[in-house]
């Protein structure tokens, strides 16, 4: 984790997990470390990891079950699409393009 990277710590965690799923190093059914274990390993606040895990769960990349931890759900292609979308959003922000402008641009391309 690099606090000087420009992305929040939870965004860095979600990015690493998305990349691992998209590259196939995390497969569907594989369990992730518990939020507490990961927070300790990365030396970050537990809530930072929980926020990252909730975001990944909302994207249906992982499943969170109380007492059972987090399990990878998604196939690599879906994770890759999320990763590419993140990269597109970051590049648009660097260029000063708003999310609304980007959405309109994408709508014109379809």
């Amino acid at each position: 984790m690099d606090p000087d990277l420009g992305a929040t710590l939870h965004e860095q965690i979600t990015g690493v997990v998305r990349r691992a799923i998209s590259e196939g190093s995390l497969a569907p059914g594989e369990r992730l470390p518990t939020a507490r274990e990961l927070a300790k390993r990365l030396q970050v606040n537990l809530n930072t990891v929980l926020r990252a895990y909730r975001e990944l769960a909302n994207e249906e990349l992982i499943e969170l079950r109380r007492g059972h931890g987090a399990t990878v759900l998604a196939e690599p292609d879906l994770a890759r699409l999320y990763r590419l979308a993140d990269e597109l959003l970051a590049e648009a922000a660097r260029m000063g393009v708003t999310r609304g402008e980007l959405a309109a641009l994408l709508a014109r391309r379809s």
Side-chain angles (χ1 to χ4, degrees):
M1 302 286 88
D2 183 356
D4 299 325
L5 195 60
T8 65
L9 293 175
H10 94 273
E11 290 170 334
Q12 291 179 51
I13 294 168
T14 57
V16 168
V17 174
R18 283 187 197 112
R19 185 172 302 107
I21 295 170
S22 71
E23 293 172 351
S25 56
L26 281 176
E30 197 166 337
R31 294 189 60 179
L32 299 177
T34 67
R36 193 172 308 283
E37 290 169 358
L38 189 58
K40 185 176 181 180
R41 188 180 312 160
L42 299 176
Q43 297 181 341
V44 299
N45 187 287
L46 174 63
N47 289 321
T48 300
V49 176
L50 289 172
R51 183 174 178 190
Y53 276 10
R54 278 192 302 272
E55 185 173 322
L56 293 163
N58 288 339
E59 295 171 359
E60 299 181 0
L61 296 178
I62 67 170
E63 176 184 41
L64 291 175
R65 290 182 43 208
R66 178 160 284 189
H68 295 281
T71 305
V72 176
L73 289 177
E75 295 294 331
D77 290 344
L78 179 60
R80 181 173 180 273
L81 189 58
Y82 274 107
R83 187 171 49 88
L84 290 170
D86 288 343
E87 291 172 13
L88 179 60
L89 287 167
E91 184 63 24
R94 277 191 289 278
M95 296 173 63
V97 176
T98 68
R99 285 182 179 229
E101 292 168 335
L102 182 58
L105 176 101
L106 291 172
R108 287 193 304 269
R109 300 288 295 184
S110 56

